[in-house]
Amino acid sequence: MLASIRLPYRRCVSLVYDGRTRKYSYAETNFKPKWDKVVKDAEKIVGYGTSFGNLRWLMNDEIANVAVHLKKLVGTNHPILKIAKGFLFDEKSNIQTWGLLILLISKAAGQKVSSDQLENGGVLLNQRNLAELTELIKTGHLVHTGLLNPTEDILKQNNTDLVAGNKIALLTGDFLLVKANGMLSNLRNSHVNGLISSALRDLTDSEFVGERNPQNIAMPSESIEEKSPLTFSMNEDLKIFSLLGADRMFAPLDTNYCIGNPVREWTMRNVLSGGSLLGRGCESALHLAGHDQDLQTQGYLFGCHTALAWQATTDINIFTFPNSSTFSLVCAPVLFALHQNPSLYEFIKPGFNDLESVDFEKIRKIVKEGPALDNTVRLLNEHSEAALKCLENFPKSDATSALRNIIEAMQI
């Protein structure tokens, strides 16, 4: 089912697959008002806001100390400033409200265990703690991405701003992860500990897959399947299916068959960098409530598909909003453009020495002129519809409806 979101300036496209013609469109304006409403409605259902701003009570003194040091970096280009600004001043547009999703999936499924820890929102105290620690893990990982890997020339300049920014990113990220691990141990559930630990392993692995430049920025590989037909559905591609497999808890992801194929490579990178964390968070919440393994698996798949749909939405917005001068070179539109037009790689190669040498505007122009955005829209809707399919396994309720509204708010 496709969402009927009314936004101005939408570009419509037609795609043919499975013998059917499907019309998709991608927005050239922000969907923030629509998103804000569905999130606010969802928070009312669980009686709890879960954005980073609502977690500040966990660390008021520590964040205050970090803020003092951040002020010293004002005027520099260190990425930790942009990350901090996103947390502190742009909460409502942060679509990674993962704790909220975990609380909603918990309430949607209900409880099959007797407990005196059931709260007014219809979830267990342990489930609420799980939602919070999941957000802390994701936030800690994101803060760690603010670390800059300096070149030898920069090191010779004795750049104090770089050193200070890296220290803040490292120590703040470490603090958040330690806090999350303490909360995880307090759940006193070895199975949940194993699930979340496997997601932590994936987050680490995400920093070591594929090509990297000297600044440790992820770089795309040359396409090895030039203009070959693309398969978007996990039901049609067993290799994509294995990327989302819920049974690989103790086995690292095999990435050998992913590099060079845009759909598999993008899926692999984003399952590792966060998709499995949201999936394991949803799965763990259902385990704590005493649900069987089949429903836990549906919770895992729902989390993975939702995280991937969010990432696809973010990738589309990069090219439809005029205020993004730089962007990830491993985002879906760039990978699709490389697949269709391998000569684009010549404009990406300078980034292997220094990202500032890349002509991002030229790459943006090439991406927007080809079918890359249309393919990303198709990717988004595949994962959105897969997430909605998972929800069919949960009883109808206000929480289930809220989850459906959140997914449909992302669909294009």
Side-chain angles (χ1 to χ4, degrees), residues 11 33 67 76 91 113 126 169 175 189 209 285 301 336 374 408:
R11 173 183 169 187
T76 71
E91 296 164 10
V113 293
N126 277 350
F175 169 78
N189 189 300
V209 296
L301 291 174
F336 282 126
D374 298 341
E408 291 179 347

Side-chain angles (χ1 to χ4, degrees), residues 35 39 43 50-52 91-104 135 278 310 406:
W35 178 259
V39 169
E43 288 181 341
T50 57
S51 67
F52 185 85
E91 296 164 10
K92 291 184 179 179
S93 65
N94 178 17
I95 62 175
Q96 294 179 340
T97 51
W98 290 11
L100 176 61
L101 282 171
I102 292 174
L103 293 179
L104 286 170
E135 280 206 342
L278 181 56
W310 262 339
I406 288 173

Side-chain angles (χ1 to χ4, degrees), residues 209-227:
V209 296
E211 303 279 357
R212 295 265 165 174
N213 73 357
Q215 291 83 42
N216 200 36
I217 303 297
M219 303 292 291
S221 303
E222 291 189 76
S223 178
I224 59 175
E225 298 183 24
E226 180 181 342
K227 296 185 180 180

Side-chain angles (χ1 to χ4, degrees), residues 73-113:
L73 295 176
V74 173
T76 71
N77 291 322
H78 200 285
I80 190 62
L81 285 176
K82 183 176 180 181
I83 293 171
K85 181 181 178 181
F87 289 149
L88 301 176
F89 303 111
D90 200 22
E91 296 164 10
K92 291 184 179 179
S93 65
N94 178 17
I95 62 175
Q96 294 179 340
T97 51
W98 290 11
L100 176 61
L101 282 171
I102 292 174
L103 293 179
L104 286 170
I105 204 79
S106 300
K107 186 168 184 177
Q111 311 298 330
K112 286 198 170 183
V113 293

